[in-house]
Amino acid sequence: MLSWRSLLVLLFLTVGAVLLQSTVLRSFLPSYLVPSLGVLLALYLALNQVSIGGALVVFGIGVLFDISSGLVIGPWAAAFVVIYGLVSSVHQHLFADSSLVVAIVAGATTAIANLVYTILMLDVAPPPEQVALLLFGQAIATGLAAPPAFMLLERVFAPRREYYRGGRARAVR
Amino acid sequence: MRVSITERSRVIAASFALFCLSIFLTAYTSSRAAIAGTGASLMGEVLGPAQFAYSSVTSTLSDIWNSYLALVDVEAENRSLREKIAALEAKLLSLSELEAENVRLARLLDVSVEHELEGLVARVIGYDASEWRQSVVIDRGRNDGVLPGMAVVERGGLVGQVIASSTGSAKVLLVIDPASGVDGVHQTSRARGVVTGDGRQASWDFVLREEEVQVGDRIFTSGLEGIFPRGLLIGTVSSVDERRSGLFKSIEVHPHVDFATLEQVFVVTSPAGTLARSAVATEREPQRRK
């Protein structure tokens, strides 16, 4: 169950992700090499927060990304919910402590999310060669960014999770 | 984390329901631009100050670099610029004569003399969070009179239109975004079509096969869609493909504005029907097509 504090932290992280993607990262990297931070948030929740509440939060993250674009509300929400549903259904078979596994899953889910977005926005999609460049370029960039991003998210969320589960953190106390 | 099969089934069912809701939202908001625009305005209130702060820091650093560290060859450049100024001053004298003559002829022909576009200069402070959309954020918003639907230009070339504005910033949909559509008119033949973006370039669609269009021809805004002033340069024709069957030609347009280096833009606050000065010469050029 997600606490109010976790929800606030996630809201802050989502707004921060939109800001990073729209300003900081875009001034250093070409658009097709900017990692999809929204996908990383959705993926982290799919691996660590499998619940209806988690699905709702991922949907909310997608809506915030849609709102920031100012065109249509829904496609990113749909894309993030799809990867949440897919990964949460197989998360017990994934060894999420391995950086390599996290990188591969992040790359694959980014490609899936971008594909869902393209299908939903087919009328205003770029030409196929640009779609391919964005699909694979961003999948690789997100895959590379996933292990450090997950370490950061672990630092933000893990201590509380361990505490509530009565795990390591309580033992330390 | 261990999750029971029942819980997992519930999560999958919830994900599917939320996916369906997202599809419905996409369909609902795609025909109601105001909803997404309002949302983007609210988001702009939150993100605008941070984007402005980041942009100010980077532009200050860039200014320091340009002013103090990159002074190599400045003397030679200075000399070259002085020579250019002298040449341009001479040219300006002859142009002012031509302008006066133009005004006289316009009066003779009973054509009203066009006024210059009114507006304000804005700085680009951010981009779209999604790499799939071509839009920028500028540092002027509702407080400065920037409203959705206003045209944005740079050095006489069309940049795009404002799609959402918050108090201190606004979002501009670039003309190269696939969701953008501008009524374009040919420089001389006055052939018309719709210029749509493809992410990097643009294409000029719905131009009839019998229209005479060549590589290098310039395409201007017609102003007929009621958003953009007439006579703004959209771009030049970079390729014409007549092999495709059908009623229309396949024409690629190279935008006049370099979107990769876009830093400052001009938001047009004049009414949409205004005629841009660059159109004056175009309107009076002789018709190429008989």
Side-chain angles (χ1 to χ4, degrees):
Chain A
M1 183 77 184
L2 284 160
S3 64
W4 281 107
R5 177 195 169 270
S6 302
L7 286 174
L8 273 175
V9 171
L10 277 166
L11 180 67
F12 179 77
L13 285 173
T14 307
V15 173
V18 171
L19 189 66
L20 268 175
Q21 267 187 242
S22 64
T23 311
V24 184
L25 295 173
R26 286 290 292 269
S27 58
F28 293 111
L29 297 165
S31 60
Y32 56 90
L33 285 182
V34 172
S36 178
L37 302 178
V39 168
L40 289 179
L41 280 173
L43 183 60
Y44 181 81
L45 287 169
L47 290 170
N48 296 290
Q49 185 63 52
V50 183
S51 64
I52 294 174
L56 281 168
V57 169
V58 166
F59 175 76
I61 291 170
V63 168
L64 279 177
F65 268 79
D66 283 320
I67 283 175
S68 76
S69 79
L71 276 180
V72 180
I73 298 171
W76 280 124
F80 291 175
V81 163
V82 164
I83 59 171
Y84 181 85
L86 282 176
V87 176
S88 63
S89 62
V90 295
H91 85 283
Q92 282 173 324
H93 306 290
L94 296 170
F95 182 57
D97 287 341
S98 161
S99 296
L100 184 66
V101 171
V102 166
I104 291 169
V105 173
T109 48
T110 305
I112 292 169
N114 282 342
L115 204 61
V116 172
Y117 182 86
T118 309
I119 291 166
L120 288 177
M121 301 288 283
L122 209 55
D123 282 351
V124 289
E129 64 274 12
Q130 274 191 59
V131 170
L133 185 68
L134 274 170
L135 219 68
F136 293 110
Q138 206 173 34
I140 292 166
T142 311
L144 290 173
F150 269 47
M151 269 166 44
L152 192 75
L153 291 169
E154 278 293 322
R155 275 179 170 266
V156 174
F157 290 107
R160 273 189 88 77
R161 215 174 50 236
E162 293 292 340
Y163 177 78
Y164 282 122
R165 261 199 246 148
R168 199 169 51 216
R170 182 174 280 183
V172 170
R173 280 163 71 99
Chain B
M1 119 177 241
R2 289 196 176 279
V3 180
S4 65
I5 295 171
T6 324
E7 179 66 13
R8 212 187 313 162
S9 307
R10 277 187 198 150
V11 170
I12 291 168
S15 300
F16 182 72
L18 288 169
F19 176 72
C20 294
L21 178 63
S22 307
I23 304 274
F24 170 75
L25 271 175
T26 307
Y28 186 77
T29 55
S30 60
S31 56
R32 292 164 180 84
I35 297 172
T38 309
S41 301
L42 290 172
M43 200 75 170
E45 300 290 354
V46 180
L47 296 178
Q51 286 174 324
F52 182 77
Y54 176 77
S55 173
S56 300
V57 170
T58 50
S59 70
T60 307
L61 289 174
S62 170
D63 285 349
I64 291 169
W65 172 263
N66 291 331
S67 307
Y68 299 104
L69 301 173
L71 290 173
V72 185
D73 294 335
V74 77
E75 194 182 332
E77 192 184 352
N78 199 9
R79 202 179 311 123
S80 155
L81 287 172
R82 278 175 195 280
E83 284 167 10
K84 273 186 186 165
I85 286 171
L88 287 171
E89 275 175 347
K91 199 173 178 181
L92 193 66
L93 278 174
S94 63
L95 283 176
S96 60
E97 282 298 312
L98 279 173
E99 189 179 7
E101 189 183 343
N102 191 20
V103 170
R104 276 201 307 277
L105 289 170
R107 278 181 190 149
L108 277 173
L109 291 167
D110 199 23
V111 177
S112 62
V113 179
E114 295 77 15
H115 44 274
E116 293 211 36
L117 295 174
E118 291 170 10
L120 59 154
V121 176
R123 202 155 47 92
V124 175
I125 57 169
Y127 302 87
D128 201 301
S130 160
E131 289 66 39
W132 294 80
R133 299 267 66 90
Q134 301 296 328
S135 63
V136 293
V137 181
I138 55 172
D139 66 345
R140 302 281 196 150
R142 263 202 315 273
N143 285 352
D144 307 294
V146 175
L147 298 170
M150 285 181 171
V152 180
V153 299
E154 192 223 17
R155 285 181 291 147
L158 183 65
V159 171
Q161 66 164 307
V162 177
I163 54 168
S165 71
S166 53
T167 50
S169 62
K171 183 147 243 178
V172 179
L173 185 72
L174 302 181
V175 73
I176 52 169
D177 188 281
S180 163
V182 185
D183 197 275
V185 65
H186 190 271
Q187 179 184 21
T188 50
S189 72
R190 314 310 291 167
R192 280 183 51 213
V194 179
V195 178
T196 50
D198 69 3
R200 284 182 187 169
Q201 301 269 316
S203 59
W204 193 30
D205 303 327
F206 308 115
V207 178
L208 293 169
R209 291 183 76 83
E210 59 262 31
E211 299 288 0
E212 193 182 318
V213 181
Q214 289 165 1
V215 173
D217 288 353
R218 298 197 292 176
I219 311 301
F220 289 85
T221 53
S222 72
L224 289 175
E225 76 287 271
I227 295 170
F228 302 105
R230 289 164 62 198
L232 293 171
L233 182 56
I234 302 171
T236 49
V237 173
S238 57
S239 76
V240 183
D241 187 1
E242 300 192 37
R243 286 172 299 175
R244 203 176 68 172
S245 60
L247 284 172
F248 308 110
K249 288 186 176 189
S250 176
I251 300 168
E252 297 292 321
V253 174
H254 179 73
H256 174 66
V257 175
D258 182 6
F259 294 100
T261 57
L262 201 61
E263 286 181 355
Q264 280 198 327
V265 293
F266 185 79
V267 184
V268 181
T269 54
S270 318
T274 309
L275 185 63
R277 190 169 276 272
S278 55
V280 177
T282 312
E283 295 264 310
R284 296 187 188 132
E285 276 184 31
Q287 299 274 312
R288 190 200 297 169
R289 197 161 52 91
K290 289 181 183 173

